[in-house]
Amino acid sequence: PEPETSGQFRIDDEEQEGKYPDYPFDGNPAFDDANPRGGIMQEEDIFQFQEPRLSMTSRDYFNYSDPVEGEICPLAVRKVLKIMRYFSRVLSAMEPLAQQSGLVDALLYHMTKKPHSVDYEDEISSRVDAIAVVVNLACAEENKIMLVYHPGLLDAVINIANHDPIDEAREHAAIVLMNLAYAEENKVHMVNQDHLLDTLVHLLSDVSPFTRRYASAALFTLACTYANTAVMARHCDGGILEALRKVLLNDPIDEARVNAAEALFNMARNNSDDTVENMGNHPRLLASLSHSVLTDYSADVRAYSARALEWLSADIHHPMPCHRILLKALTMSSQWTKTTCIAEALKMQASLSENRKPMVEQPGLLDALATLALLDGITDDEVKTCAISALERLSKEASTRHIMVRNEGVMTALTKATFAKDDDEDSTPDEGTPTALLMKTALKNLAEQM
């Protein structure tokens, strides 16, 4: 198989083991009942011929059981699972292992087996190792579809994600869902699987930061498909939107916030009318995106949040109830100039005549556009151009020209751009129209109110 895709996850290595120092250890102690002679066990030279021992007792082996009695040696099972866990990390072994008859069912057995009190720790170890093998097998593209449709597997993973008391087990369950979601053929099926979306929402508030990270990644992956976004946006009356909003604002882990912002961006980009309405009307969602644009210290979070607002601006217009909320969010986030997303959103809004009056009347919006139009940094040309285009389009609304004329920032921006150097004539932001010409047109539109 090809090297693993970025974002997919295999386990485990020294770092994974280091996260769980209390993981059950199966090493033989120097002094115990299985080693009555005591002292340090000497390593056997497997290349040196030795005479076979003529007799042995059950004390010679730890947890020994006679195969004639039809019993299973628990230690052997644990060791085999441990070997499978490491072996399944090999890329070339992932597909053959998954195709091996009975293997997935055997893993499923250990994932769903209820531990007994006498060997509780051992069976926890087996369960964690079993789902860790599934994590690795789910990395291979050839296995993703087979695993997601394997009878009982997805249900077992969902059950572990919701109810397992072991942090590592829940983390592995989240990784399985994330890895399986990367297959395009699985996305719609997974979203329509009973309790899967509820499970991901539940995992977004898990105590483990790793689990929250992988659950949010699964959601942004599932949101890449148009058929899923409407289902996800209205799920549990906006439960997914609210969970993502809280992660976006409050999660201390950068990767979780980035994934939440990208999930909201994917939902805004692959939207339907139903998706736009649910996102626009969800309480505090647009304000939270705006807040992240301004305050998050991760550049990726800010960029994805700004892009989400830009895409929503293409479909939210007057007289939709959420239009004024969007205008307020754009006004607040207009200080973001690292990309043109917010300036483009304002320009796009001003393109439609029905939006112009609400835009001019929105408190602070004209000041925001004027500030952007007056930028003079060497990297601000595109943002400045978008703001000037937006002002020119707003000046076409006769009923609000008197408001624009009284705005000092707007008039300063228009006159400064009009009398700028001739070099600015090369700037053609609007269908080949030079910036200075746009400003002259705007001043001409506003002249009657001066």
Side-chain angles (χ1 to χ4, degrees):
E2 296 292 329
E4 81 178 73
T5 306
S6 175
Q8 299 194 37
F9 196 84
R10 284 181 292 152
I11 55 171
D12 55 8
D13 51 21
E14 291 79 1
E15 178 182 355
Q16 183 74 6
E17 293 174 354
K19 284 165 34 186
Y20 301 96
D22 296 331
Y23 200 90
F25 178 70
D26 295 321
N28 290 324
F31 297 91
D32 59 13
D33 292 340
N35 182 20
R37 294 177 294 276
I40 300 176
M41 299 288 289
Q42 296 294 323
E43 182 178 0
E44 181 182 357
D45 185 355
I46 62 173
F47 298 102
Q48 180 66 40
F49 176 78
Q50 296 181 4
E51 291 291 338
R53 299 171 62 181
L54 299 179
S55 63
M56 62 182 69
T57 66
S58 60
R59 293 173 60 85
D60 292 317
Y61 293 94
F62 181 68
N63 277 352
Y64 173 81
S65 62
D66 187 347
V68 177
E69 297 177 359
E71 297 178 358
I72 297 175
C73 176
L75 176 61
V77 172
R78 294 198 303 274
K79 292 298 184 182
V80 168
L81 284 170
K82 187 72 68 177
I83 293 170
M84 295 293 297
R85 177 172 182 167
Y86 284 92
F87 190 45
S88 63
R89 296 170 56 197
V90 180
L91 287 172
S92 59
M94 291 177 182
E95 183 181 3
L97 281 174
Q99 300 297 331
Q100 179 63 39
S101 177
L103 176 64
V104 176
D105 287 325
L107 296 172
L108 188 57
Y109 168 77
H110 287 284
M111 289 166 56
T112 58
K113 184 179 179 182
K114 295 182 179 179
H116 300 290
S117 58
V118 293
D119 53 1
Y120 184 78
E121 293 294 334
D122 291 337
E123 294 199 8
I124 285 178
S125 173
S126 297
R127 184 169 74 253
V128 170
D129 285 338
I131 193 169
V133 175
V134 177
V135 167
N136 294 336
L137 297 182
C139 286
E141 292 296 326
E142 299 82 1
N143 295 339
K144 295 182 187 296
I145 299 176
M146 181 273 290
L147 289 174
V148 86
Y149 285 99
H150 189 90
L153 180 65
L154 212 50
D155 290 333
V157 173
I158 290 173
N159 184 64
I160 290 174
N162 280 303
H163 305 297
D164 202 292
I166 307 302
D167 288 354
E168 189 181 5
R170 297 194 308 276
E171 176 188 330
H172 293 344
I175 301 173
V176 171
L177 295 176
M178 178 189 71
N179 284 347
L180 294 178
Y182 279 116
E184 195 66 32
E185 298 86 348
N186 289 348
K187 296 183 190 299
V188 174
H189 173 76
M190 291 181 68
V191 162
N192 290 282
Q193 179 77 15
D194 290 342
H195 309 302
L196 186 139
L197 292 179
D198 291 327
T199 298
L200 291 175
V201 170
H202 173 72
L203 293 178
L204 286 179
S205 59
D206 195 89
V207 295
S208 167
F210 302 99
T211 300
R212 299 197 302 272
R213 170 187 169 187
Y214 300 128
S216 57
L219 282 172
F220 88 65
T221 303
L222 292 173
C224 290
T225 299
Y226 171 83
N228 287 345
T229 56
V231 177
M232 295 174 67
R234 64 171 177 263
H235 182 74
C236 289
D237 294 325
I240 290 179
L241 295 176
E242 182 63 15
L244 290 172
R245 187 187 73 83
K246 289 180 178 178
V247 171
L248 180 65
L249 290 182
N250 303 321
D251 203 294
I253 305 301
D254 285 3
E255 292 89 344
R257 297 197 314 280
V258 171
N259 291 340
E262 187 171 359
L264 292 169
F265 162 66
N266 284 339
M267 294 175 71
R269 180 180 60 176
N270 302 301
N271 67 61
S272 63
D273 292 342
D274 191 28
T275 306
V276 170
E277 184 176 356
N278 280 287
M279 294 186 72
N281 291 328
H282 188 84
R284 301 183 297 280
L285 178 60
L286 299 180
S288 297
L289 287 169
S290 177
H291 181 80
S292 294
V293 170
L294 289 180
T295 65
D296 201 286
Y297 53 82
S298 167
D300 289 335
V301 173
R302 300 174 76 178
Y304 278 122
S305 298
R307 293 173 70 186
L309 287 173
E310 180 184 10
W311 277 91
L312 289 171
S313 297
D315 296 295
I316 296 178
H317 306 292
H318 183 78
M320 295 175 65
C322 56
H323 184 245
R324 286 199 175 275
I325 301 174
L326 174 67
L327 294 181
K328 183 177 180 180
L330 292 176
T331 302
M332 290 179 59
S333 55
S334 62
Q335 298 174 46
W336 172 257
T337 60
K338 299 297 184 182
T339 65
T340 61
C341 293
I342 303 302
E344 284 282 4
L346 290 167
K347 172 184 170 183
M348 190 182 311
Q349 283 284 306
S351 300
L352 298 182
S353 58
E354 60 266 30
N355 293 339
R356 291 168 186 161
K357 187 173 186 293
M359 288 183 70
V360 173
E361 294 175 345
Q362 176 64 37
L365 189 144
L366 288 179
D367 293 328
L369 283 174
T371 300
L372 295 178
L374 289 169
L375 292 173
D376 57 2
I378 58 175
T379 61
D380 295 328
D381 287 348
E382 292 186 8
V383 173
K384 178 179 178 179
T385 295
C386 289
I388 292 173
S389 298
L391 287 173
E392 188 272 335
R393 295 174 186 186
L394 291 177
S395 70
K396 296 178 181 180
E397 179 59 44
S399 64
T400 55
R401 287 172 181 166
H402 65 285
I403 301 176
M404 296 186 68
V405 167
R406 292 199 299 266
N407 189 287
E408 181 179 352
V410 169
M411 299 309 297
T412 300
L414 291 179
T415 53
K416 183 176 180 180
T418 301
F419 296 105
K421 296 180 180 180
D422 293 339
D423 291 343
D424 290 342
E425 295 286 343
D426 294 335
S427 178
T428 56
D430 190 81
E431 299 173 356
T433 306
T435 301
L437 180 57
L438 287 174
M439 292 302 93
K440 290 177 182 178
T441 303
L443 285 173
K444 181 178 178 181
N445 291 338
L446 299 176
E448 298 178 1
Q449 300 296 326
M450 293 182 181

